[in-house]
Amino acid sequence: MNPTIEKILTNIEKVMIGKRNVAELSLAALLAGGHVLLEDVPGVGKTMMVRALAKSVNANFRRIQFTPDLLPSDVTGVSIYNPKEMEFQFRPGPLMGNIILADEINRTSPKTQSALLEGMEEASVTIDGVTHKLPKPFFVMATQNPIEYEGTYPLPEAQLDRFLLKMKMGYPDIAEEMEVLNRAQKQPPIEDLYPVIDLEGLLALQQEIKQVFVDNTLKRYIVDIVNGTRSYRGVYLGASPRGSIALMKAAQAYAYMYGRDYCLPDDIQYLAPFVLSHRIILKSEAKFEGISAEEVVNQVVARIHVPVKRLVK
């Protein structure tokens, strides 16, 4: 694995116990310039994960607790009239940070959700007709509780499509939860966490990842998988071309993390369920049969021929 990446993950593991795969995927999304939707029950360490990631890269961390009465201006900021200067001045909201935790994003209104959407897609927010650029890097990790549906506003497909990855943390096993209790008796380890790299170093990594080679054979492999989700019998709406782009970018980041300057079919196979599952809509009969979107993507991947050699031009 890339030495710098290994240091960041080791730093995160000082806080998170037994969640190496979640840490790797979150870091891959950050390096690829994408965002993460984390769907799980409360109390499994979602907030701690984002805080540890932010501290590891010396980023400006902001947490937004989404509630039904939250307004778009509460997220993006607002222009306030200054009588002394006789002009409106922009007061930035919590979205003006590097790493944003959008906690329980499905509890706020669609109007406020759309304010976050512009920031995620355009890396800017527009207030009173003036566009304000967001700082770089900019990374959103949104959470939602899959159990409670009362008083929630499900994210529309257009907004789900903006997340590079969707994943779950899951409960720790017995040994891991015992270690959580042992650490809880002492000072929280998050307070002793120190940065591994700075923001300039992180931006440099993001640029290097764009140079990771993706052969045309693998690009065709990605397109075949995404097309497979559109023709699967239990799928009402398959993944869009944005899904193809997201899968390629995620594969580039994942390959770089493991010290390679080229992608492998294994990268694509591993990442496909995390990248594509939230981009497809299942038919009602598939839901009644208990088939999940992740299972559909895995079945599609299993059907597609795996390229074993480069195309000869």
Side-chain angles (χ1 to χ4, degrees), residues 174-191:
I174 293 177
E176 292 168 353
E177 197 158 355
M178 287 288 291
E179 180 61 24
V180 170
L181 295 181
N182 292 333
R183 294 188 183 185
Q185 288 182 302
K186 308 172 186 177
Q187 179 179 342
I190 189 71
E191 304 299 332

Side-chain angles (χ1 to χ4, degrees), residues 77-92:
V78 64
S79 294
I80 298 177
Y81 183 72
N82 186 338
K84 186 177 180 179
E85 301 291 337
M86 300 183 66
E87 62 180 14
F88 283 92
Q89 294 181 344
F90 174 63
R91 297 289 178 88

Side-chain angles (χ1 to χ4, degrees), residues 22-38:
V22 179
E24 285 186 2
L25 290 169
S26 300
L27 183 55
L30 172 61
L31 294 173
H35 309 284
V36 171
L37 179 61
L38 201 55

Side-chain angles (χ1 to χ4, degrees), residues 76-142:
T76 60
V78 64
S79 294
I80 298 177
Y81 183 72
N82 186 338
K84 186 177 180 179
E85 301 291 337
M86 300 183 66
E87 62 180 14
F88 283 92
Q89 294 181 344
F90 174 63
R91 297 289 178 88
L95 198 61
M96 293 290 180
N98 297 120
I99 294 184
I100 312 297
L101 173 61
D103 211 3
E104 295 191 285
I105 188 175
N106 58 333
R107 289 202 176 277
T108 195
S109 67
K111 187 174 183 179
T112 305
Q113 290 174 359
S114 65
L116 179 66
L117 174 63
E118 181 190 358
M120 292 170 57
E121 182 67 15
E122 307 295 338
S124 63
V125 293
T126 302
I127 299 153
D128 295 335
V130 180
T131 300
H132 303 269
K133 289 291 184 182
L134 295 176
K136 292 184 179 181
F138 178 71
F139 173 71
V140 173
M141 180 174 280

Side-chain angles (χ1 to χ4, degrees), residues 282-297:
L282 299 181
K283 294 180 180 178
S284 55
E285 52 264 33
K287 295 178 181 178
F288 290 144
E289 293 173 7
I291 300 175
S292 67
E294 290 82 1
E295 290 173 336
V296 168
V297 175

Side-chain angles (χ1 to χ4, degrees), residues 226-240:
V226 173
N227 269 280
T229 65
R230 301 168 189 165
S231 58
Y232 189 83
R233 63 176 180 83
V235 174
Y236 172 73
L237 184 67
S240 67

Side-chain angles (χ1 to χ4, degrees), residues 7 20 66 139 209 215 272:
K7 288 180 181 178
R20 173 85 177 199
F66 283 87
F139 173 71
I209 284 169
D215 188 72

